[in-house]
Amino acid sequence: MELSLLKALIENITSFLHLSCEDNKCCEVVEKYYIMSEQVLKLIKPVLESIVHADVASDEPLQKEFAGMSQSVDELKEFLEDSDPLMSKVYFVLKAETLVTKVQTHGLGILDLLQSCEGLPDELSSASLDHCIQKIKQIGHEKPSAIISKAIKDQVEGNEPSPDIRSEIADLLSLRSNQELLIELVALETLKENAEQLENTRDAEYIEEMINLVTHMHECFHEMKQSQSSNTVPIPPDFCCPLSLELMTDPVIVSSGQTYEREYIRKWIDLGLTVCPKTMQTLVHTNLIPNYTVKALIASWCESNNINLPDPVKPVIHREEDSLVNHVHSSSEESMPELENESDELTESPLRKEFSGGPSAMSPTRNESSTGAGVDDRPNEESSPQAATGNTSDASGEVAAEPQPVVTGMSAATQPDPHEYSSRFRNRPRNQIWRRPSERFGPRIISSVPEPRPELGEIEIKVKQLIDDLSSTSLESIKNATFELRLLARNDKDIRNVIANNGAIDLLIGLLYSPNQNIQENAVTALLNLSINDINKTTIGNSNAIEPLIHVLETGSSEAKENSAATLFSLSVIEENKIKIGRSGAIGPLVDLLGNGTPRGKKDAATALFNLSTFHENKARIVQAGAVRFLVELMDPAAGLVDKAVAVLSNLATIPEGRARIGQEGGIPMLVEVVELGSARGKENAAAALLQLCTNSNRFCNMVLHEGAIPPLAALSHTGTPRAREKAQSLLSFFRNQRHGNGGRR
């Protein structure tokens, strides 16, 4: 048995060393981690081979290390073999670094144990083992994950990552071109969707942090390309290919309705990418339709501005020469100051901000909780983006699909000014704002590398002491105890249960009234983290926590308010809690946070209000509290909350006062804009809201038609999600029936 473990480990190492990066067509990033792993294993393998026949090989502590290292080598080998040229490099680095570190740790553990053993072969002297230990420790000393975490930390705390950090990440991950950045975003969006489908909200939240970082790098690259343009006259954004960022010469339309330079989008599709780079929608087909309207407008613009139309793009496309190394230093923004505190506080709140929870996205998937997936992800018949066509109350019946128009954003008949955009977003070029439907700020970050957990019995002893300290007369003891419990509750289901089962919940609820800001923040965040477990949601809801949480919403610091809103969201997953929260007066403070909070606070408030709005009784309360005005404002893409705002409005549109307020606050033009340019989820919910508005009011119906809703709805009826297609078809059918019923007049 003992020897078989050692021999199995040696065989696993040998198998790993036979991997070939060339055979796997791996990128630079994969090759780097393969080489690091290879260096570690080549150092440890001869040592293992020399003790195969030694008595020491049967020592129990060594056996544990052999088994652990063998498993880690297997995991690393499988992970590297599964790598793909189109994978997310950010995710790969964070995951690979964790696995390589595990291999190193086990290797060092084996060598440390051997140093204290007797009867080793002559070649394994203490000096040789020590030399091997030092060499393994030096491998991979600089960890890219630390740099990525620093960048995310800057963004989470409201500071954009410094140019130096962006530059370093671009170099480390080979994200130096527009296409590489877009491919990274596609890969991350896919990972996030997979996590959401598995209801792994913690992973989805952490991947969203990665998306925010890469989106920011992409925006900086876009700005750099614009600043380096040699043209004296700015090129209208609609005339530039979103892939090449250059003036188009052969514009074509893809199935999402977006326009690209033919050769660039062809190369994109040939890589195996089946999503629209601009909207991230799945391309239902790969046909490329010439966009003669845009081509004519470009020719006219070039002639008017004495600019020579470039030669058509050749089939062989050269990669952008400009790297992020150059553009980050040419950015107009100054480097952000270094943060003084690099403590675990950065990574502490697992459910924090909308629905995060627990270990990082790098850790193995564990579906511990049905916390939900936030404003735009909760399955709900009324407005969930994930809902299928279903029998909803606003369905208007099936209609024959209308021909899909060429969606260019411009009419050839009217020949508009090339610099003109929709009156709703006149000052914001749409291809910059709607480049992808992600938030423009980072919610929260979860620890990227899972830490080893002490034995549960040891933790329970510590937890009991901390709970005793919550009742201490010493302010400092209470502050330390709430902080420690806050950290302990962030990552592990079992630890959260230990904390709850030992009576912490009632004491933490009482501390929500503490006049000490730190204690209040720690207490509400600890409750937020505990609420990840479903059983704790019910316990907290039944412990009279809602009024104290409202108190925090009304009087707390920005962080305390954010986490109070996030806790109310978490609790509202339980149907009974939705009723309690709505009847306890929480909606008013949540709406106030929605309108006047920090970006994170607004996001948390929108998330909580969405869940509450799925209970019919709460809809009128939300409308009466003035939420619609703020939700309409948040449909501005610059706010980064379009999908969440539209999801709530879609629910509110099912009641008369909700529809009236949406019309009064100017929501109709914004909803039409989302149908045209939003994400797949945004389009789906916007179409559902418009269907409610139109079928219940002729005035609103005329307003929707006046905003030019038919072309984007026709496109959506062919390319949207099943539920979006149903809503779009029902609306088009309703418009047709109205037109025939009114003698052809609108």
Side-chain angles (χ1 to χ4, degrees):
M1 168 65 181
E2 290 81 2
L3 287 180
S4 65
L5 281 175
L6 176 55
K7 288 180 179 178
L9 171 57
I10 294 172
E11 287 176 5
N12 283 348
I13 293 174
T14 302
S15 175
F16 182 95
L17 294 175
H18 286 159
L19 284 177
S20 170
C21 276
E22 292 182 2
D23 293 344
N24 199 34
K25 297 181 180 179
C26 65
C27 62
E28 297 173 35
V29 178
V30 178
E31 186 175 6
K32 172 184 175 181
Y33 282 93
Y34 172 78
I35 291 171
M36 282 172 53
S37 308
E38 183 183 47
Q39 290 172 341
V40 173
L41 296 176
K42 282 185 174 180
L43 284 168
I44 195 72
K45 187 184 177 189
V47 175
L48 298 174
E49 290 174 334
S50 69
I51 63 170
V52 167
H53 301 295
D55 293 338
V56 70
S58 61
D59 285 0
E60 186 176 342
L62 276 171
Q63 291 299 305
K64 290 182 179 179
E65 290 293 350
F66 293 157
M69 186 170 186
S70 184
Q71 182 180 347
S72 297
V73 172
D74 265 347
E75 289 176 1
L76 181 58
K77 178 174 178 285
E78 183 179 350
F79 181 66
L80 293 178
E81 285 177 330
D82 289 343
S83 63
D84 180 88
L86 298 180
M87 68 184 179
S88 164
K89 295 176 182 176
V90 177
Y91 181 90
F92 174 86
V93 164
L94 294 173
K95 176 77 171 181
E97 204 163 283
T98 302
L99 294 175
V100 172
T101 299
K102 285 171 67 177
V103 171
Q104 283 180 291
T105 301
H106 284 298
L108 291 171
I110 291 170
L111 295 173
D112 283 338
L113 288 170
L114 288 175
Q115 280 189 314
S116 61
C117 291
E118 297 180 358
L120 294 177
D122 294 340
E123 62 267 27
L124 293 184
S125 64
S126 179
S128 66
L129 289 173
D130 188 63
H131 177 71
C132 190
I133 288 172
Q134 296 309 315
K135 292 196 76 172
I136 290 176
K137 286 182 176 179
Q138 291 170 7
I139 295 170
H141 180 68
E142 294 183 359
K143 298 188 180 296
S145 66
I147 299 165
I148 295 171
S149 295
K150 171 74 168 92
I152 296 178
K153 179 179 180 181
D154 286 349
Q155 196 157 289
V156 166
E157 298 193 349
N159 300 319
E160 293 180 347
S162 71
D164 287 340
I165 288 181
R166 295 201 307 268
S167 172
E168 199 164 357
I169 293 171
D171 278 345
L172 288 169
L173 305 186
S174 300
L175 297 176
R176 304 183 186 94
S177 72
N178 186 56
Q179 178 165 289
E180 286 168 337
L181 288 163
L182 285 171
I183 290 173
E184 178 66 21
L185 285 171
V186 171
L188 287 171
E189 288 284 1
T190 302
L191 286 173
K192 183 185 173 189
E193 287 176 11
N194 292 341
E196 289 172 347
Q197 288 173 4
L198 294 171
E199 295 186 0
N200 195 327
T201 55
R202 296 168 301 169
D203 285 12
E205 181 74 7
Y206 188 69
I207 294 168
E208 181 64 24
E209 297 289 354
M210 302 180 203
I211 291 172
N212 290 330
L213 173 62
V214 178
T215 298
H216 178 63
M217 293 173 64
H218 183 233
E219 289 168 347
C220 290
F221 185 89
H222 194 278
E223 291 169 5
M224 178 275 295
K225 291 289 288 185
Q226 288 180 325
S227 67
Q228 291 183 349
S229 173
S230 58
N231 295 310
T232 55
V233 180
I235 301 174
D238 284 325
F239 293 172
C240 291
C241 171
L243 283 169
S244 70
L245 305 182
E246 303 291 346
L247 186 66
M248 289 184 284
T249 58
D250 187 9
V252 293
I253 301 168
V254 296
S255 65
S256 64
Q258 302 301 320
T259 299
Y260 297 91
E261 182 67 45
R262 179 185 296 275
E263 290 304 330
Y264 278 87
I265 191 62
R266 172 51 60 196
K267 181 180 179 183
W268 175 271
I269 292 170
D270 288 345
L271 286 172
L273 295 160
T274 58
V275 298
C276 173
K278 191 172 177 181
T279 66
M280 298 294 166
Q281 285 179 258
T282 299
L283 298 176
V284 295
H285 61 75
T286 57
N287 298 334
L288 304 180
I289 304 168
N291 193 331
Y292 297 115
T293 301
V294 168
K295 189 170 185 176
L297 288 170
I298 290 173
S300 175
W301 178 82
C302 287
E303 184 178 349
S304 300
N305 290 280
N306 296 318
I307 292 175
N308 293 326
L309 188 65
D311 293 331
V313 177
K314 296 178 180 178
V316 178
I317 301 171
H318 297 285
R319 182 170 154 177
E320 292 98 322
E321 298 296 330
D322 300 299
S323 70
L324 286 171
V325 177
N326 294 325
H327 95 261
V328 290
H329 291 293
S330 64
S331 172
S332 60
E333 62 191 18
E334 296 296 325
S335 299
M336 295 296 174
E338 293 296 317
L339 294 163
E340 295 179 3
N341 183 6
E342 301 251 357
S343 71
D344 281 344
E345 186 60 21
L346 155 71
T347 65
E348 58 83 30
S349 182
L351 192 140
R352 181 180 160 77
K353 298 325 165 195
E354 181 182 359
F355 40 64
S356 58
S360 78
M362 304 302 102
S363 60
T365 299
R366 293 184 304 161
N367 188 14
E368 296 176 358
S369 166
S370 61
T371 301
V375 160
D376 49 4
D377 294 326
R378 286 282 303 157
N380 170 43
E381 190 172 305
E382 291 176 279
S383 71
S384 167
Q386 293 175 342
T389 53
N391 294 323
T392 55
S393 60
D394 58 359
S396 301
E398 298 288 334
V399 296
E402 297 193 3
Q404 182 174 350
V406 172
V407 183
T408 65
M410 290 170 273
S411 168
T414 56
Q415 290 290 319
D417 181 343
H419 296 281
E420 187 76 328
Y421 303 99
S422 164
S423 60
R424 294 181 286 278
F425 299 120
R426 194 174 303 280
N427 297 321
R428 299 190 302 276
R430 289 190 289 191
N431 76 325
Q432 293 181 22
I433 292 174
W434 292 90
R435 190 154 49 244
R436 60 172 300 278
S438 74
E439 273 82 51
R440 288 297 186 266
F441 53 86
R444 254 81 15 159
I445 176 173
I446 305 158
S447 173
S448 62
V449 180
E451 298 176 3
R453 187 188 77 179
E455 291 299 321
L456 210 56
E458 298 175 20
I459 292 176
E460 186 161 12
I461 294 170
K462 180 179 180 181
V463 165
K464 287 180 178 178
Q465 180 58 57
L466 291 171
I467 292 173
D468 287 342
D469 289 344
L470 293 180
S471 302
S472 170
T473 56
S474 166
L475 197 65
E476 199 62 33
S477 295
I478 298 174
K479 189 186 302 183
N480 291 336
T482 53
F483 181 73
E484 287 292 325
L485 289 169
R486 165 183 182 164
L487 295 181
L488 282 170
R490 65 181 174 170
N491 280 344
D492 192 284
K493 175 183 179 181
D494 295 332
I495 296 176
R496 289 194 285 270
N497 286 338
V498 167
I499 294 171
N501 293 340
N502 280 280
I505 287 176
D506 286 336
L507 293 170
L508 289 168
I509 291 171
L511 291 172
L512 296 180
Y513 287 108
S514 172
N516 183 281
Q517 178 178 310
N518 288 335
I519 291 175
Q520 188 184 62
E521 287 177 358
N522 291 335
V524 72
T525 309
L527 287 168
L528 169 61
N529 295 344
L530 290 172
S531 72
I532 296 170
N533 291 14
D534 282 347
I535 191 170
N536 292 341
K537 289 179 174 63
T538 302
T539 303
I540 295 170
N542 291 337
S543 300
N544 300 316
I546 295 172
E547 288 189 8
L549 286 168
I550 295 172
H551 171 76
V552 176
L553 266 181
E554 294 174 330
T555 65
S557 65
S558 293
E559 180 185 348
K561 289 180 178 180
E562 293 161 9
N563 287 342
S564 177
T567 306
L568 288 170
F569 157 69
S570 179
L571 298 180
S572 68
V573 170
I574 306 297
E575 199 68 21
E576 183 182 349
N577 287 340
K578 289 179 187 175
I579 302 171
K580 289 181 181 178
I581 294 168
R583 293 176 180 175
S584 297
I587 287 175
L590 282 170
V591 169
D592 183 64
L593 184 64
L594 182 75
N596 304 303
T598 63
R600 292 175 187 164
K602 291 179 179 182
K603 181 179 179 182
D604 286 329
T607 308
L609 288 169
F610 169 80
N611 252 19
L612 294 174
S613 72
T614 62
F615 180 63
H616 185 77
E617 180 183 296
N618 288 331
K619 294 175 185 177
R621 295 189 180 105
I622 294 171
V623 173
Q624 291 161 9
V628 172
R629 175 166 64 91
F630 298 132
L631 291 166
V632 170
E633 290 173 358
L634 291 174
M635 280 199 289
D636 180 342
L641 289 172
V642 176
D643 285 355
K644 303 186 189 312
V646 175
V648 182
L649 287 173
S650 182
N651 275 357
L652 300 183
T654 61
I655 62 172
E657 51 265 62
R659 293 190 291 271
R661 185 61 65 180
I662 291 170
Q664 292 167 10
E665 298 294 349
I668 288 175
M670 307 294 275
L671 288 168
V672 173
E673 194 79 19
V674 175
V675 169
E676 181 181 1
L677 297 169
S679 69
R681 289 174 183 158
K683 290 180 178 183
E684 179 180 296
N685 284 322
L690 289 174
L691 183 59
Q692 286 284 354
L693 288 161
C694 291
T695 55
N696 286 281
S697 167
N698 288 334
R699 183 168 67 89
F700 290 157
C701 182
N702 290 332
M703 290 172 66
V704 171
L705 290 169
H706 180 73
E707 290 297 326
I710 289 181
L713 284 169
L716 187 62
S717 70
H718 291 279
T719 63
T721 64
R723 181 169 177 262
R725 290 199 298 271
E726 182 222 356
K727 302 302 180 188
Q729 289 166 3
S730 296
L731 261 173
L732 293 170
S733 176
F734 180 77
F735 292 152
R736 185 183 296 110
N737 292 338
Q738 286 288 98
R739 185 169 62 249
H740 293 160
N742 292 329
R745 295 191 305 273
R746 292 184 182 179

